[in-house]
Amino acid sequence: MSAEELSSPVQSWADGSYYNEGAGREDLFDKVREECGVFGVFGIPDAAALTYYGLHALQHRGEESCGICTVDSARPFESFKAHRGMGLVKEVFTKEALDGLSGDRAIGHVRYSTSGSSALANAQPLVFKYRDGDLAVATNGNLVNAPEIRAELEAAGSIFQTTSDTEVIAHLIARSPLDFVDAVKAALQRVVGGFAFLIMTNTKLIAASDPNGLRPLCMGRLGDGYVFASETCALETVGAEFVRDIYPGEMLILGEGKDIRVERFAPLKRRAVCAMEYIYFARPDSDVAGINLHAARKRMGSRLALESFVDADVVTGVPDSSISAAIGYAEQTGIPYELGLIKNKYTGRTFIQPSQELRERGVKMKLSAVRRVVEGKRVVMIDDSIVRGTTSRRIVNLLREAGAVEVHVRITSPPFANPCFYGIDTPDRKDLIASEKTVEEIRQAINADSLQFLSKEGFIEAVVGRVGAGAAVAVGAGVGGGTSLGAGSSGAGRVPDLSRLDLKGLQAAGLTPAEFEAALRINGGMCMACFDNDYPTPIEFANASKTCSC
């Protein structure tokens, strides 16, 4: 069977006027996919090696392709050195490849591609020649209005070399009569969506976050230089000290002297960090918006136990992202936590989907139930989400085949019922089981004895650090709006502990604590559109780019 056949696409959003490279391959684990991770280095010798380790720490954010682009400040007007390839970081970057990437500045990228886009041409960073020299761009996210801008640019004579929406930014910068920094600012003001950009020229590096901060981006310090990463775990890996997050609507410019210049290209109105970062995407040892993921997931499990306790003999989590929540559920209920499910970490990236029989066999190859743990037991199975429902059914059946007498499924997120337009690879709405079925119908479909999801209010409370029920939470209520739910709600909502605010970072970003607090009032500063249909940016649904081609 050919590589193309092995990675054949499933239902796509390419029909009609959608700009999309496919809705993604059905993985054996039915999870939504993060698209990308970015890593940047400025002013540190052997930047490529540092970027290699940083990308390795971000490998979970993208396993399809990766790349590194470097420049040396001692010879800034030499052409960029770049290497990109298909596969994992350790596969693409041999010693020889890294030896050819000299310089003290670099940007790197890991990418999960959607079907149809698995091509070297779309691997990032994208590198271009333009009037002022070289230009390299790496991004995590999705530009919702990319189709509109691309059509406009092509009508004006632009020739695109990739199908990536990231290339739109490069064309906007190159065609602008403004200087580089102002051209970047103008380009960022044109695009709509969720994004974290690293943009590098021969002399400058710019880091920028979208106006809602949907995609995480942080800055660290290492010696006399700086490091940028999608997650703090990458800073830890390279030994960098966390400095601060890049705030929504902010761009940092490096290369104009010793100081970092901070510019705002958009005002902060509503912060909306992607809720799936807390639920599934980010590594448990990372902090997103100042919140540790392991701790947040434990609180989700604890809150879930308060909301939907069931008497059982053991609690087990679906590895790896649900382990923290399962521990929290077990601690709250007093039911023993056990490793009832084991993930085989050495199966590689398998996308074999030719038949139902092979699909079922593939699940057992990647995941196995521990018979001695679950046999004859009432099992609470904790998972982070249900997308199509196919994998949940397989895992429930796996536990039953191993002898579990009851399987109670508890999900540490609300029902996933809406597609994402901000850089998560999600199926068509009709393929999301929660958009078509009630909780009871889903329970029957996955063959569980009982099924409960974490409430939206409970999820927000758990993320921001409060587990107890009954407190007011401001939650989204439909497209573009917000309302308050919860006992005794006054509409003020719950926000993270403001005593922990990074006041220096806020000041550097040109924000006041009051402005930042106001921006957190809806959904605790998170985007939960996949649960409540409350998209924080204006979207023309008939024409929007749904799945990122970053």
Side-chain angles (χ1 to χ4, degrees), residues 214-281:
L214 283 148
R215 299 287 126 218
L217 185 62
C218 62
M219 176 173 65
R221 188 74 185 257
L222 185 60
D224 294 327
Y226 293 92
V227 175
F228 297 88
S230 292
E231 291 184 36
T232 59
C233 66
L235 303 184
E236 294 279 352
T237 296
V238 301
E241 178 186 2
F242 173 80
V243 175
R244 68 177 179 90
D245 292 317
I246 311 305
Y247 286 96
E250 181 184 28
M251 51 186 280
L252 275 59
I253 303 102
L254 294 84
E256 297 182 336
K258 292 184 179 180
D259 296 329
I260 298 175
R261 177 153 66 104
V262 178
E263 294 275 351
R264 296 203 61 78
F265 65 88
L268 174 60
K269 295 181 180 179
R270 172 182 172 184
R271 191 175 198 180
V273 179
C274 174
M276 292 304 294
E277 295 287 350
Y278 298 101
I279 295 166
Y280 174 66
F281 292 143

Side-chain angles (χ1 to χ4, degrees), residues 114-163:
T114 55
S115 57
S117 65
S118 183
L120 183 59
N122 289 321
Q124 291 189 35
L126 298 181
V127 181
F128 308 91
K129 290 284 188 183
Y130 85 125
R131 65 177 183 273
D132 292 332
D134 291 346
L135 175 68
V137 184
T139 186
N140 170 32
N142 183 45
L143 307 182
V144 178
N145 61 340
E148 173 190 338
I149 297 175
R150 184 178 179 124
E152 173 190 315
L153 291 169
E154 288 178 330
S158 290
I159 299 174
F160 283 75
Q161 302 299 314
T162 75
T163 57

Side-chain angles (χ1 to χ4, degrees), residues 45-56 66-70 81-84 89-103 106-108:
D46 202 7
L50 205 64
T51 304
Y52 170 85
Y53 289 113
L55 293 181
H56 196 275
C66 55
I68 297 174
C69 177
T70 64
K81 297 176 177 64
H83 182 74
R84 301 176 299 163
V89 174
K90 65 180 181 180
E91 298 167 348
V92 170
F93 289 100
T94 62
K95 183 180 184 302
E96 291 73 21
L98 287 171
D99 287 344
L101 298 173
S102 59
I107 61 174

Side-chain angles (χ1 to χ4, degrees), residues 326-546:
I327 293 171
Y329 190 99
E331 288 181 355
Q332 184 68 43
T333 61
I335 301 171
Y337 167 76
E338 296 284 357
L339 284 174
L341 293 164
I342 302 295
K343 185 178 180 180
N344 183 353
K345 300 180 183 298
Y346 303 101
T347 53
R349 294 165 294 131
T350 57
F351 296 98
I352 302 172
Q353 306 296 330
S355 69
Q356 184 66 21
E357 180 184 357
L358 279 179
R359 208 187 321 267
E360 299 292 345
R361 194 175 301 164
V363 170
K364 292 183 179 180
M365 181 179 71
K366 280 197 166 186
L367 195 67
S368 59
V370 184
R371 180 174 294 274
R372 293 294 180 92
V373 170
V374 303
E375 190 172 26
K377 303 289 181 60
R378 297 167 298 168
V379 178
V380 179
M381 184 190 97
I382 307 293
D383 204 356
D384 51 63
S385 58
I386 296 179
V387 184
R388 295 178 180 87
T390 51
T391 294
S392 296
R393 184 181 67 252
R394 293 172 194 142
I395 298 174
V396 169
N397 290 338
L398 200 65
L399 289 167
R400 292 194 186 281
E401 291 168 10
V405 294
E406 294 178 10
V407 181
H408 302 275
V409 177
R410 296 294 182 266
I411 304 299
T412 59
S413 63
F416 197 117
N418 304 294
C420 177
F421 291 83
Y422 302 125
I424 299 175
D425 183 20
T426 54
D428 194 329
R429 180 179 269 107
K430 67 181 179 60
D431 294 322
L432 294 167
I433 193 169
S435 71
E436 299 286 321
K437 297 181 183 296
T438 65
V439 173
E440 172 58 21
E441 288 171 336
I442 298 172
R443 182 198 68 77
Q444 295 175 17
I446 66 173
N447 194 29
D449 289 284
S450 70
L451 168 67
Q452 293 292 335
F453 292 85
L454 183 61
S455 69
K456 190 161 55 175
E457 302 96 309
F459 171 74
I460 298 168
E461 290 280 340
V463 170
V464 303
R466 297 171 175 85
V467 174
V473 183
V475 298
V479 178
T483 189
S484 297
L485 298 179
S489 172
S490 64
R494 288 291 189 185
V495 297
D497 183 358
L498 297 178
S499 66
R500 297 181 296 169
L501 283 181
D502 176 12
L503 297 180
K504 288 185 178 180
L506 286 174
Q507 183 179 17
L511 299 169
T512 67
E515 285 177 314
F516 191 67
E517 179 183 358
L520 303 176
R521 287 299 179 182
I522 298 177
N523 290 348
M526 290 180 287
C527 173
M528 298 179 66
C530 52
F531 308 128
D532 63 12
N533 204 37
D534 182 18
Y535 295 90
T537 62
I539 296 175
E540 294 182 16
F541 293 99
N543 300 301
S545 164
K546 172 186 169 288

